[in-house]
Amino acid sequence: MSERRRFAIVMNPSSAGGKPLRLLPAVRGALTAGGAGIDIVQTQDIPHAAEAALAAAGRGETVVALGGDGLVGALAGALRGSAPLGVLPGGRGNDFARALGIPQDIRGACGVLLDGEERALDLGEANGRAFACIASVGYDSDANRMANEARFIRGNLVYAWAAIRALASWKPTRFEVALDGSPLEFEGYTVAVANSPYYGGGMKVAPAADPADGLLDVVFVKRSSKLRFIANLPKVFSGTHVELDVIETHRAREVVVRADRPFDVYADGDPITTLPATIRLVAGALRVIAPRA
């Protein structure tokens, strides 16, 4: 595969504290040693990254996201249905790579680019904005904002820190949710609409989610005391939280979410739209280079 392939490595050099830039020498070394050609495309924002990805795909290059899940989601949306996407984990969370079994170490991930196989996966879309992993709203909106604003906590520990900090000022929210047209209401913390299992650097919030099954997994986190919420938080990393009576799970192809106060909808670590939100599954819209089965 590598002998016929030229990779366009799309990266924002300043994201995740400059992590993609620090990883670049290892990426360059591993891919060129494997016989592949590479071009480096440094971007400053998501629109430029999407434009660069389309231009590279038009030249016959394989686009590779070297960054976090937000970059992966943006490039997946730009390339949907037209060209394969490679993924190198260069962000803080790297949950899309985790879901596909792409190694978290950069040399192992480069090995997948060189020797992996293309898989057709589903793509999520919230008010028309593409995402790869999970779109969530409510308490998660506050926690994501705090994680993104943090400057002195590195790595995925920032998500656990932000989850605890957001709890201090949290007030229960009433959500109105329509699942394929069927209305539901509940009071609580969060609505998470998942195309894959993970968010927040390894939190397995939707353990049954499969990005190739044609359905979105929907998780409601219902009202409980803050003390119980924080006591149960570690269960999210194993996915056993779904056994709790305050967690409700559903599956749907379209999810409409409203709440009794304004929220940003976060997906792949970034704010992508606001409520009310219509979240849809676009089946088979993403081609990705994944480890061989």
Side-chain angles (χ1 to χ4, degrees):
M1 179 184 292
S2 61
E3 291 138 8
R4 300 187 303 274
R5 178 161 278 169
R6 186 168 188 87
F7 296 104
I9 311 297
V10 179
M11 54 172 279
N12 181 339
S14 62
S15 69
K19 183 177 178 180
L21 200 58
R22 294 192 298 272
L23 293 174
L24 191 56
V27 171
R28 191 189 301 272
L31 294 181
T32 55
I38 63 169
D39 291 322
I40 307 300
V41 182
Q42 295 194 21
T43 70
Q44 298 302 320
D45 55 38
I46 291 298
H48 179 218
E51 291 173 10
L54 285 171
R59 295 191 299 268
E61 298 176 342
T62 298
V63 176
V64 177
L66 173 58
D69 294 310
L71 180 62
V72 172
L75 299 189
L79 298 175
R80 69 176 73 187
S82 64
L85 175 67
V87 178
L88 293 175
R92 290 190 294 188
N94 303 315
D95 287 306
F96 187 72
R98 181 176 286 106
L100 294 185
I102 295 171
Q104 294 290 304
D105 72 279
I106 203 67
R107 288 179 175 81
C110 286
V112 173
L113 292 182
L114 293 165
D115 300 314
E117 62 183 4
E118 288 186 20
R119 288 182 57 192
L121 302 179
D122 304 328
L123 196 61
E125 198 176 65
N127 287 347
R129 177 80 176 267
F131 66 92
C133 298
I134 297 175
S136 60
V137 65
Y139 167 81
D140 285 7
S141 305
D142 292 352
N144 266 284
R145 175 178 51 79
M146 292 177 183
N148 289 348
E149 291 172 352
R151 293 293 175 264
F152 302 107
I153 303 175
R154 293 196 172 186
N156 58 12
L157 284 177
V158 71
Y159 297 108
W161 170 84
I164 294 169
R165 183 166 176 248
L167 196 60
S169 58
W170 175 254
K171 293 180 175 60
T173 294
R174 175 152 291 278
F175 295 98
E176 299 176 5
V177 184
L179 303 173
D180 291 332
S182 298
L184 293 170
E185 293 186 18
F186 76 98
E187 189 175 76
Y189 289 86
T190 289
V191 176
V193 184
N195 185 46
S196 61
Y198 299 99
Y199 71 5
M203 295 182 183
K204 203 173 185 179
V205 69
D210 180 345
D213 67 356
L215 288 168
L216 296 163
D217 282 43
V218 186
V219 180
F220 297 165
V221 183
K222 298 190 290 186
R223 186 168 186 169
S224 65
S225 71
K226 292 183 178 181
L227 184 61
R228 186 182 181 195
F229 182 92
I230 205 68
N232 285 328
L233 189 60
K235 296 179 185 294
V236 179
F237 288 93
S238 64
T240 56
H241 65 291
V242 296
E243 300 167 8
L244 300 170
D245 59 1
V246 293
I247 303 296
E248 194 172 301
T249 61
H250 302 270
R251 309 190 84 197
R253 289 181 175 83
E254 180 181 276
V255 183
V256 179
V257 185
R258 294 180 173 83
D260 61 4
R261 62 182 188 266
F263 284 106
D264 289 329
V265 178
Y266 276 74
D268 303 333
D270 294 322
I272 62 168
T273 188
T274 59
L275 293 185
T278 298
I279 304 171
R280 296 188 175 95
L281 184 90
V282 188
L286 173 60
R287 292 161 54 199
V288 67
I289 303 171
R292 291 187 179 275

